Structure formats: structure tokens, C-alpha cells
Amino acid sequence: MCIDCGCAEPFHKHDHEDNHSPRKIQVGEDLLAKNNRLAAANRARFAAEQLFVLNLVSSPGSGKTSILERTLTDLKSRLAFAVLEGDQQTDNDANRIAATGVPVKQINTGAGCHLDAHMVGHGVDLFDLGATDVLMIENVGNLVCPASFDLGEAHKVAVLSVTEGEDKPLKYPLMFQAADLMLINKIDLLPYLRFDLAQCKAFARQVNPAIKIIELSCYSGEGMEQWYDWLQQGVNQKRET
Amino acid sequence: MHELSLTQSIVDIAIEHAERESASRILSITLEIGAFSGVIPEAVEFAFDVCSKDTLAEGARLDIKRVPGLGRCMECHQQVELEYLTYTCPLCESLALETLQGKEMKIIELEID
């Protein structure tokens, strides 16, 4: 065996000049490979703890934090929650969640426009995952970038409020394609708006025929029971596996 | 904006492979970016100078191959080029279009020295 390169030839010349001349090497690696590896590690950790994990995504101001506040307040007596809050700056959302008594950790991404699997992996270290049923990850308000980053969640939940316009699913198809559930929020405002609910749902199904849709208002409480049922079903399924 | 973190991944992956080959520098990086990948090639080029500074990849040429969107309808069995991401077949209007290509974001090869 050649001791220089380990090949089967007994002896052959290694020309180091040649070795270091410009040459091409094949890579074939996905740009998200590292994030996907870390997301898979998160997912395995969450599965071992029988934890149901949701990644809440939306544009800023759709009501993610308000939905969480109401959900935690209504369900915390029967489900143990933990919340990761992602924002570019401030602890405002974490303070709102903390007021419900649920464990919360704020992640400030600074210049970053999304949470990634690495941030989430470290973000959950503070929580007692074994004693938690549901981890809610509230992503940075942004309908573009968070679509591409798997965090290890069971489902992405896209929140769209009726003040935003019904064609958002067509304008930001990656996000609505990546989501398994769409919550249409603020439906108590429908009488005052020209928002076409049926059209919005049709647009969402154009980019994702399998998407589940729940209409609700975390202000009036309408539709919240349906969302809670969906959540409870997810928790039950996790416990059975 | 997420092009900044993706471009950092490009530089990290390229350096990892180049170091394995004991390269002294990276001359070029060939990328495949799909029309539906959510990545703007110009933003990657813009971020690359910052991310590659003082590394093996500094000064490397970026060859970005843009991959057009392509779909196949499961109802009418036609292949169609797509300008935007949708499940609606532009030919028969069935909600049955499968995306064949366009979501790529990959490093294909490196030229090293």
C-alpha cells in the first residue's frame, strides 16, 4: 500500500506541485444542513421528553402573544407549558407571558430575522422539559425567513389576522406551505372590515391543500375551544408514542 | 435578511471542505439557488464579502446557478414551468400540482488551490 495516500498501488510518485494546483471538489451540501442537523437533535430530545412543540409564525402584530396569553391562562391548570419568545429586541413579550405564571425565556436575535435550531436547543436548557407538556416557540414576527428554518417542532402554526388582507398566503407561500395549521385571528373585527374569509381560506389551500384552518378571536374567545381541542389532541398523541 | 445567516453557512461549509483538502484558498464556489428557495442571489453576493473576509474564501468567485420552478400536475400529468409557488395547475386548474424543482439551496462544488 502506498503510505502517502493509502491507495492500493505499491509505489507511485506523489507530486506535491500537482496536488496543490487549482482543482475542483464536489460538495453537494444543503445550506440548511447544519440547522437541519441541530433541528433533528432537538426533535429527538423533545420526543424523549414526550413534549409537544409548536412553532408560532406570523407577521408582526397578528396576535401571537395575545393568543398565547389567553391559551396559557385558560389551559395552564390542565397542561404544563413553557414558552420561548423570539424578538429582535426587548423583553416585552416575555414579561407578558411571565405574568400568566408560565416559565418563559426571551431570545433576542439582534440583527437576526428568525430563530434557528441552535438558539432553540440552548433556549430550552432552563426548562424542566420532563415536567412540561407543551413548548410554545413564538418566532420573530416575519412571514419570510422563519419558513426556512426547522426548529425541531411538531408543527408550524401560522397566525394570520383579518386586518392583514386575505391574499397573504399567496404573497408568502413558503410560510403557509410550511405550516400545518393556520389560525385566522381577530375575527371579532370582521363586521368592520372588507376581509373575505372564504377567499383567504381558498388562497391558503392553493399553496397548501392539507392545511388545517381555525378561525378565532383571542379577544372575544370565539373559536378558542377548537384551537384548544387541536392542542389537546396533539398532546395526547405525543403521550401515546 | 436571512441571506446573511445562509451566506455564513456557505462560507462555513466551503471552508470545512477546503481545509479537509489542505487548500490554501478557495477560488470559486458553485451554488444552486431555486426560484422558490426564499433566497435572493443578489443578497447572497452582497453578504458574501462580509462573511468571507479574512478566511480561505476571501476573494472567491460565486457561481450561482438559478434553478427555475418546475411542477407536475397529478391530474393532467403535464409538466409546467412555474413562476411562483402554487398547488393550482395552470393548465387544468386542479389543486394537484407537485413541485419538482425550485426549492434548492445547495453548494455544488468548490474550486480550491
Side-chain angles (χ1 to χ4, degrees), chain A:
Chain A
M1 192 179 79
C2 171
I3 52 164
D4 274 2
C5 67
C7 78
E9 291 290 317
F11 172 75
H12 61 116
K13 196 170 168 233
H14 278 272
D15 186 341
H16 285 267
E17 281 305 309
D18 257 356
N19 227 6
H20 290 171
S21 64
R23 61 202 187 275
K24 285 191 171 174
I25 54 171
Q26 299 304 307
V27 178
E29 200 166 321
D30 195 289
L31 299 190
L32 291 171
K34 187 178 166 193
N35 184 73
N36 291 344
R37 271 198 301 276
L38 294 170
N42 288 348
R43 191 164 279 119
R45 184 174 169 197
F46 299 153
E49 305 282 6
Q50 294 184 313
L51 190 64
F52 186 53
V53 183
L54 297 180
N55 178 2
L56 272 73
V57 291
S58 80
S59 53
S62 66
K64 291 187 297 304
T65 314
S66 300
I67 289 174
L68 277 182
E69 281 177 309
R70 175 129 192 184
T71 305
L72 302 176
T73 305
D74 289 351
L75 300 186
K76 67 181 177 186
S77 60
R78 58 175 158 122
L79 289 174
F81 288 93
V83 179
L84 276 183
E85 277 290 342
D87 280 300
Q88 284 200 316
Q89 289 190 63
T90 81
D91 293 337
N92 293 355
D93 284 358
N95 293 336
R96 286 170 59 185
I97 299 299
T100 67
V102 166
V104 58
K105 158 114 176 114
Q106 179 79 47
I107 301 175
N108 285 134
T109 57
C113 48
H114 58 270
L115 293 177
D116 63 32
H118 183 239
M119 298 173 192
V120 168
H122 287 293
V124 297
D125 280 341
L126 279 181
F127 301 134
D128 180 359
L129 296 183
T132 308
D133 298 310
V134 184
L135 171 67
M136 296 282 202
I137 305 170
E138 184 180 335
N139 218 314
V140 178
N142 174 350
L143 278 176
V144 184
C145 315
S148 303
F149 291 82
D150 184 8
L151 306 178
E153 72 273 0
H155 305 283
K156 281 193 178 71
V157 176
V159 181
L160 175 70
S161 62
V162 296
T163 51
E164 292 172 55
E166 56 271 303
D167 57 352
K168 285 289 181 291
L170 291 186
K171 288 178 171 167
Y172 302 94
L174 281 182
M175 186 59 91
F176 291 89
Q177 197 172 67
D180 295 314
L181 173 68
M182 171 161 93
L183 299 178
I184 302 183
N185 190 26
K186 308 188 190 177
I187 57 165
D188 55 302
L189 295 177
L190 279 173
Y192 313 104
L193 303 168
R194 276 170 295 182
F195 183 88
D196 188 335
L197 199 56
Q199 185 66 263
C200 180
K201 294 198 273 189
F203 285 153
R205 293 198 169 108
Q206 248 179 62
V207 295
N208 183 353
I211 198 165
K212 162 124 182 105
I213 301 172
I214 297 174
E215 301 151 30
L216 53 79
S217 161
C218 62
Y219 181 72
S220 72
E222 199 182 342
M224 292 299 279
E225 280 305 321
Q226 254 185 294
W227 153 238
Y228 296 161
D229 288 346
W230 183 89
L231 199 58
Q232 185 68 54
Q233 266 176 27
V235 173
N236 295 347
Q237 276 168 12
K238 271 284 157 219
R239 284 178 181 158
E240 283 161 19
T241 51

Side-chain angles (χ1 to χ4, degrees), chain B residues 22-61:
Chain B
S22 317
S24 56
R25 65 192 176 121
I26 299 169
L27 302 174
S28 75
I29 302 174
T30 307
L31 302 167
E32 245 179 32
I33 307 267
F36 311 143
S37 64
V39 179
I40 304 167
E42 289 76 10
V44 172
E45 284 165 353
F46 184 77
F48 185 75
D49 289 346
V50 181
C51 294
S52 65
K53 197 168 164 36
D54 298 325
T55 73
L56 285 184
E58 184 169 358
R61 190 180 73 248

